[in-house]
Amino acid sequence: MEQRVIWNHLESAGAEHLTLKKLTNHMEVRGTVLLVDQGVPHHLTYDLKLGLDWKTKKVKIYQEQETEPFVVQAENQDKWWVNGRYDENLDGATNVDLTITPFSNTLPINRVTWHIGERRTFKMVFIDVLKKEVFPLLQVYTYLGDNDGNRIFQYRCRDYETALVIDEEGWVVEYPGAFERRALLTTGDQTMDKRPQPLLANAPSSSGGFY
């Protein structure tokens, strides 16, 4: 199965096109992101290899005009290497969180089965893509309930908090003030989502940026 998604970036001019392929033993993801940061245009591409359990195995990040990718990968027992160097501070994390994409939220959400009211804390490998900084970060998700066929999750990270609209497959539909899904195409039934109406116009959101 193959799925393709397009999100708008709301904090700055930009968008992302992502393709996910589910293969026999793993999944492969490629995202292409165009964005403007402090007046500077960026063209970035990332490749993710995931297990069928949605755990991150490896991510390669390519920036325009750079010949070598920035590589973060996990080995046995959730130990992590950053550009070939082992970082013990990342031990125990199961997924990466890339600053440039809402797909980062899909990874922990799809790792587990959820019940309304349930709260879970995840240790993530946070990657500031533009700065090439990597460090561990705890993130908390709470499944609040359903709205028009989508799930609503409270998301907390440090002093930042917001509510996310997530569809039944774990894709981010709306991340208030940051991302908005414009299209989803799944091969097989060839069904294209229409642009969703904002569901969280009054959702709490921090002005301090997103993680």
Side-chain angles (χ1 to χ4, degrees):
M1 183 183 73
E2 180 176 304
Q3 293 182 291
R4 287 184 283 156
V5 188
I6 289 180
W7 288 284
N8 273 354
H9 281 225
L10 303 179
E11 285 199 331
S12 65
E16 174 178 1
H17 177 275
L18 178 146
T19 300
L20 181 146
K21 296 180 180 179
K22 290 188 177 180
L23 306 175
T24 303
N25 298 314
H26 67 280
M27 295 183 284
E28 295 178 354
V29 176
R30 166 159 284 199
T32 300
V33 179
L34 303 175
L35 61 84
V36 178
D37 179 67
Q38 298 182 352
V40 179
H42 295 274
H43 180 183
L44 305 121
T45 301
Y46 64 89
D47 289 328
L48 264 171
K49 183 177 180 181
L50 305 171
L52 297 179
D53 58 358
W54 291 90
K55 290 176 67 172
T56 301
K57 294 180 178 295
K58 190 173 188 178
V59 59
K60 293 182 178 180
I61 303 167
Y62 302 84
Q63 295 199 36
E64 197 173 26
Q65 298 179 344
E66 293 189 2
T67 57
E68 297 295 329
F70 186 75
V71 180
V72 179
Q73 67 184 85
E75 299 292 347
N76 294 333
Q77 300 179 344
D78 299 326
K79 296 185 182 298
W80 294 81
W81 275 255
V82 180
N83 270 351
R85 299 183 63 180
Y86 169 61
D87 188 340
E88 64 179 7
N89 295 316
L90 305 176
D91 284 3
T94 56
N95 284 109
V96 294
D97 181 358
L98 306 179
T99 51
I100 58 174
T101 176
F103 185 66
S104 297
N105 301 101
T106 293
L107 301 177
I109 286 175
N110 280 0
R111 286 272 296 121
V112 297
T113 300
W114 293 91
H115 302 284
I116 292 177
E118 190 170 15
R119 180 173 63 183
R120 292 178 180 268
T121 300
F122 299 90
K123 182 178 181 179
M124 306 289 287
V125 176
F126 179 80
I127 303 175
D128 188 319
V129 173
L130 295 180
K131 295 180 180 179
K132 296 183 179 178
E133 295 178 351
V134 181
F135 52 86
L137 196 62
L138 295 180
Q139 299 176 350
V140 181
Y141 289 81
T142 305
Y143 181 19
L144 300 179
D146 300 329
N147 187 340
D148 291 339
N150 293 305
R151 295 174 292 169
I152 309 301
F153 282 84
Q154 180 191 54
Y155 168 65
R156 295 184 62 189
C157 182
R158 293 178 171 173
D159 58 352
Y160 176 80
E161 180 178 335
T162 192
L164 308 176
V165 180
I166 309 293
D167 72 11
E168 293 180 350
E169 294 184 284
W171 295 105
V172 173
V173 177
E174 186 180 351
Y175 188 138
F179 304 102
E180 179 185 69
R181 193 177 77 192
R182 300 302 299 268
L184 169 64
L185 176 67
T186 301
T187 57
D189 61 9
Q190 299 296 312
T191 300
M192 177 72 80
D193 275 4
K194 295 181 179 179
R195 178 184 176 185
Q197 295 298 316
L199 299 176
L200 293 174
N202 298 315
S205 180
S206 168
S207 60
F210 59 89
Y211 290 92

